[in-house]
Amino acid sequence: MGGELVMLFSVEPKTTRRDLYDREVELDELRNSVLRGGDKLIAVYGIRRIGKTSLVRAFLSDLLQPYVLVDVRQIYFIDGNVNVGNLVRHILNGFREFIERGERLWESLKDALRGISWVRVGAGGIEVRLTRRSRIDLAGLFNAIDEWCWRNSTRFILVFDEAQYMRFSNVRYDGVLAWAYDNLSNITFIVTGSEVGVLRDFLRIDDPEAPLYGRYIREIYVDRFSREVSLDFLRRGFTELGINVNVGELDEVYDKLDGIVGWLTLYGYLRGGIDKLSTGRPWTRYSVMVLSW
Ligand SMILES: Nc1ncnc2c1ncn2[C@@H]1O[C@H](COP(=O)(O)OP(=O)(O)OP(=O)(O)O)[C@@H](O)[C@H]1O
Ligand SMILES: [Mg+2]
C-alpha cells in the first residue's frame, strides 16, 4: 500500500490525502466537525462520480482515530439487501484493517467485543456466530465500541457510504442512528449519498414523526470543480503522463463534462491510454459510459 504510485487519472476512489486533488475546504469541514465539534452525525452529499468516497477515504486516512467504512451500495448489490446480519458482517470485516494499524489497538478491540454473545473473536478475526438463542443486536455492538472508545479516550468514526441503500433492510436504521445519537457520545456516523433527496428521505430529517427529527446533522456538499480548477486538474494529470494536450481540447472536455471530477478522471484515463498501460484490466464498462456523453 503506502508507497504505491497513484496517478491523478487512476479510476479507483483515491484513498489518501496525497492522492486527492484539492477538496481542502471539504476536508477542513470534516476535520472540524469530527475532531473539534465532536458531531455525531454527518451527511456528505454529492452527485454520482463527484468524489464523495475519495473525499471521505482521504479524510479517514489522515486520522489517528479508529474508523470503519462500509460500502452499503456494494452490500445491497452483492447480498440483495442490507439486513442487519449483512451490515454487521461488513462492519466486523472492516475491523480487519485494525490489524495493520497496530497490535495494541487490535487486541483491545477484540477484548471489547468478547463480551458480545453473538460475536466470535478468534485468532484470525472477528465473526458473527449465531446460536438458536442469540440474535444480532446492532445496539449492543455500538455500545461495545462506544465503551471501548471511552476507555481509550478516542472517537470511533463509522462511515456508511451510499447510506440511502440502508432502507432496503429488515431494520429501521434511521431509528438505530437516532438511538445512537442520543445514547453514545464517542461514535461519529458519517453517511454519504449520491441522491440528496433520497438520503434525506431515508433520514427523514424534516419529518416530525421520524426518529431523527430535531437532531443536528452536519451537512457537507461535494460540488463540481469550477472551470479553472477542472482545467488545472486535467493539465496536471496529463503532465503526470507526459502528454501534451492543447487548450482547445481541455476547454471542450470541461464544456462536456461540467467539472465532475470522476468524468474528468475517466477522460484522462482513456485519453492517456492508462487502460492500455495496465495489463488485463477490463475497461469496457467505462468506455461505454464515455461514449454516451
Ligand atoms: N479530489 C479528487 N482528486 C483526484 N481524483 C478524484 C478526486 N475525487 C474523485 N476522484 C476520482 O473520480 C472518480 C470518482 O470518485 P469517487 O468514486 O470518489 O466518487 P463518488 O462520488 O464516490 O462516486 P459514486 O457516486 O459513483 O460512488 C474516481 O476515479 C476518483 O479516483
Ligand atoms: Mg462513492
Side-chain angles (χ1 to χ4, degrees):
M1 277 166 66
E4 224 171 83
L5 189 72
V6 172
M7 281 182 277
L8 208 51
F9 291 155
S10 74
V11 285
E12 296 79 18
K14 305 298 186 289
T15 55
T16 67
R17 174 69 199 91
R18 190 192 53 195
D19 299 327
L20 193 76
Y21 175 88
D22 193 20
R23 298 297 190 206
E24 289 302 333
V25 173
E26 294 84 350
L27 284 168
D28 267 352
E29 271 187 81
L30 278 169
R31 275 187 220 114
N32 285 338
S33 173
V34 174
L35 303 177
R36 237 178 280 158
D39 284 335
K40 292 181 172 184
L41 184 54
I42 301 167
V44 176
Y45 303 117
I47 57 171
R48 292 299 310 271
R49 306 276 83 200
I50 201 79
K52 300 172 298 296
T53 304
S54 298
L55 170 71
V56 172
R57 280 205 173 278
F59 163 69
L60 295 173
S61 74
D62 268 352
L63 284 180
L64 298 173
Q65 285 77 359
Y67 61 83
V68 165
L69 180 144
V70 179
D71 183 346
V72 185
R73 181 171 54 200
Q74 183 205 358
I75 302 179
Y76 174 71
F77 281 117
I78 292 179
D79 298 339
N81 62 60
V82 189
N83 286 351
V84 66
N86 293 333
L87 188 74
V88 162
R89 274 185 200 94
H90 281 81
I91 295 174
L92 296 183
N93 262 336
F95 286 158
R96 278 176 215 277
E97 285 179 32
F98 286 71
I99 303 177
E100 288 162 23
R101 303 186 93 211
E103 186 75 16
R104 204 190 62 80
L105 193 68
W106 176 233
E107 287 305 325
S108 77
L109 181 68
K110 283 200 295 190
D111 282 343
L113 299 176
R114 280 204 170 91
I116 303 179
S117 63
W118 49 270
V119 170
R120 206 184 83 81
V121 180
I126 302 172
E127 289 162 10
V128 174
R129 184 195 47 188
L130 286 180
T131 59
R132 233 177 306 146
R133 287 170 54 194
S134 59
R135 84 189 164 80
I136 293 180
D137 151 35
L138 198 52
L141 176 64
F142 290 167
N143 249 330
I145 298 174
D146 190 61
E147 268 172 34
W148 173 67
C149 287
W150 181 77
R151 275 200 304 278
N152 291 278
S153 312
T154 190
R155 172 163 283 280
F156 189 89
I157 293 92
L158 185 51
V159 183
F160 295 124
D161 198 12
E162 301 296 336
Q164 70 276 1
Y165 285 94
M166 294 172 95
R167 69 192 192 281
F168 302 112
S169 175
N170 53 353
V171 164
R172 284 280 306 274
Y173 291 113
D174 56 336
V176 176
L177 288 173
W179 169 85
Y181 189 103
D182 292 344
N183 293 286
L184 311 176
S185 25
N186 305 298
I187 302 183
T188 293
F189 292 89
I190 301 181
V191 294
T192 81
S194 290
E195 296 157 272
V196 178
V198 182
L199 182 55
R200 288 186 122 251
D201 277 354
F202 160 67
L203 298 171
R204 296 200 297 145
I205 303 169
D206 305 320
D207 177 356
E209 304 285 314
L212 277 166
Y213 183 68
R215 273 113 183 131
Y216 173 66
I217 298 180
R218 169 83 68 136
E219 297 182 302
I220 296 175
Y221 291 85
V222 187
D223 250 320
R224 289 169 171 77
F225 287 158
S226 66
R227 171 178 285 268
E228 202 186 321
V229 172
S230 300
L231 296 186
D232 183 60
F233 175 80
L234 289 169
R235 254 184 255 116
R236 277 181 201 228
F238 284 120
T239 304
E240 220 174 53
L241 295 172
I243 295 177
N244 266 324
V245 179
N246 70 44
V247 181
E249 178 177 338
L250 297 188
D251 275 334
E252 198 185 332
V253 171
Y254 174 77
D255 288 339
K256 289 233 164 75
L257 301 183
D258 201 15
I260 299 172
V261 62
W263 298 126
L264 300 176
T265 301
L266 185 53
Y267 179 82
Y269 177 82
L270 294 171
R271 170 71 165 82
I274 303 179
D275 54 301
K276 297 183 189 76
L277 296 179
S278 52
T279 47
R281 251 273 180 75
W283 59 280
T284 26
R285 190 162 66 94
Y286 294 105
S287 65
V288 169
M289 287 179 182
V290 160
L291 289 175
S292 62
W293 46 259

